[in-house]
Amino acid sequence: GNGTMSSCGVQLSVSIMDTGSNKAFTMGGLTQRLFTPSKPDVVVGPAISDVAQATATILGIESIDTAQISYWAASPLPSVPWWTRPS
């Protein structure tokens, strides 16, 4: 507790993509990022329910298996283990 951070061997790499709340744009950018050597372990967002539903479907494919946290989506989404939103 002295307010300093010590090395824990974990590094976070962040990539930000402005989706513009557009499903086609989001899906294109997500697909491009998923099939790279540095594919994401977690996706935060998108905020719009319609777009979040589409990304959750792709992220849940077994070979991709990437978690998604949608912080603003309000519509009921399929009950899938790789998707969550704060309640």
Side-chain angles (χ1 to χ4, degrees):
N2 64 3
T4 62
M5 293 181 65
S6 62
S7 177
C8 68
V10 175
Q11 292 183 354
L12 298 177
S13 177
V14 177
S15 174
I16 298 173
M17 183 178 89
D18 182 1
T19 65
S21 301
N22 179 295
K23 189 180 346 184
F25 182 76
T26 302
M27 299 308 284
L30 178 62
T31 302
Q32 187 176 27
R33 283 175 172 79
L34 286 175
F35 298 101
T36 64
S38 59
K39 85 172 193 68
D41 293 313
V42 175
V43 171
V44 178
I48 305 298
S49 298
D50 185 43
V51 181
Q53 217 166 9
T55 58
T57 300
I58 286 183
L59 293 171
I61 295 172
E62 189 172 334
S63 62
I64 295 172
D65 194 30
T66 301
Q68 176 180 343
I69 301 168
S70 187
Y71 54 91
W72 196 265
S75 294
L77 294 177
S79 178
V80 291
W82 59 89
W83 185 88
T84 188
R85 74 171 160 236
S87 49

